[in-house]
Amino acid sequence: QVQLVESGGGLVQPGGSLRLSCVASGIIFSIKPMGWYRQGPGQERELVAAIARGVKNYADSVKGRFTISRDNDKNTVYLQMNNLKPEDTAVYYCNLWPHLNYWGQGTQVTVSS
């Protein structure tokens, strides 16, 4: 049974930084492409960043500000978010890439002064 547990969200001022973490279980993590997704208020869920075999892809809106990484020994994928903007406010989720139909609880990121 797949489990995805996200953490690290919070309230941050514009220009600030956060590091999100996601621990995955129930999958052979090291061989799976992983992604970070987000769903803002009144918006559909979107892919923010993905990592597969060391290749990283980013949505245009976060390029140069967000960095995805993974630690296969810890079954964990990270999202370092710098220079955060109010439009980054959303619930952030990790999942496989492409995603499963199962989602974790997500972690709320709020960017506001």
Side-chain angles (χ1 to χ4, degrees):
Q1 182 178 355
V2 176
Q3 278 197 314
L4 303 164
V5 181
E6 302 92 345
S7 62
L11 173 63
V12 63
Q13 292 186 344
S17 298
L18 284 173
R19 188 194 194 204
L20 307 184
S21 300
C22 171
V23 180
S25 59
I27 59 173
I28 305 175
F29 180 82
S30 62
I31 66 172
K32 295 294 188 183
M34 296 295 296
W36 279 97
Y37 303 76
R38 68 184 181 187
Q39 186 167 20
Q43 298 179 356
E44 295 194 352
R45 195 171 291 164
E46 63 173 348
L47 178 68
V48 172
I51 183 168
R53 297 183 180 276
V55 178
K56 303 177 183 182
N57 294 282
Y58 299 95
D60 287 344
S61 59
V62 306
K63 277 181 183 176
R65 300 188 297 121
F66 290 11
T67 303
I68 188 171
S69 62
R70 65 193 298 163
D71 184 336
N72 289 337
D73 291 337
K74 296 181 179 179
N75 279 17
T76 301
V77 60
Y78 304 97
L79 187 67
Q80 177 67 43
M81 306 187 295
N82 298 328
N83 191 20
L84 282 160
K85 304 177 180 181
E87 52 263 43
D88 295 319
T89 295
V91 180
Y92 284 72
Y93 304 87
C94 75
N95 208 313
L96 275 65
W97 178 51
H99 64 77
L100 302 171
N101 287 329
Y102 162 83
W103 294 91
Q105 84 286 350
T107 186
Q108 175 71 48
V109 172
T110 302
V111 185
S112 174
S113 55

